[in-house]
Amino acid sequence: MNQLRKVDQDDIVRARNVLLASGHRTPSEKVDAYRVLAHVSPVSYLPLLASALQHLSYDGRSGKRHASCLALCEEAVAVARSIDPAEPGRADVLYQALDRFQRELYRVGRHTEGLALRAEMLAMGRAPAELSGDPVVKGLGEWAA
């Protein structure tokens, strides 16, 4: 996501109109709108953008991956990482983005990179488990696989 880009007021109005319009919006329309609005209100729209990028990468109804699936997953991780660490939902958004990206990396045979992401997911899961004393560590199953 290019943080240096100036956002035109017309782009902001168009993006809001897309999201507020009645009817069904395609995943691509949502991503385009969230990309614009994330510049205006990152706290509100960065998590939505990360999620929309993941949804765009894979169509659950048709069972087909987008042609740029790997790039979209990578962008979702970058967006999730750009969320302010003080935001309470950041860890969940980042975990989901990392999970989708590591699965795609494994699918295309990039196992070393996928394993590195699994290690990051495990580290994210260990911190809350240690604080709460919960024996269940999020990410341990993926790491073990």
Side-chain angles (χ1 to χ4, degrees), residues 8-94:
D8 186 274
Q9 279 304 116
D10 291 340
D11 292 339
I12 295 169
V13 170
R14 269 190 231 96
R16 287 187 174 144
N17 282 339
V18 164
L19 295 176
L20 293 173
S22 62
H24 178 72
R25 279 156 302 291
T26 66
S28 181
E29 289 172 330
K30 287 181 184 179
V31 165
D32 291 341
Y34 292 148
R35 279 181 177 148
V36 170
L37 295 173
H39 290 282
V40 179
S41 181
V43 171
S44 299
Y45 290 103
L46 284 175
L48 294 172
L49 176 57
S51 178
L53 285 163
Q54 292 173 63
H55 288 295
L56 179 60
S57 72
Y58 183 80
D59 183 4
R61 282 184 268 157
S62 70
K64 295 183 181 177
R65 286 176 173 77
H66 191 278
S68 307
C69 182
L70 197 58
L72 289 167
C73 290
E74 186 172 18
E75 183 181 353
V77 169
V79 167
R81 285 186 172 144
S82 71
I83 296 171
D84 184 358
E87 287 300 314
R90 179 186 189 263
D92 290 333
V93 173
L94 180 55

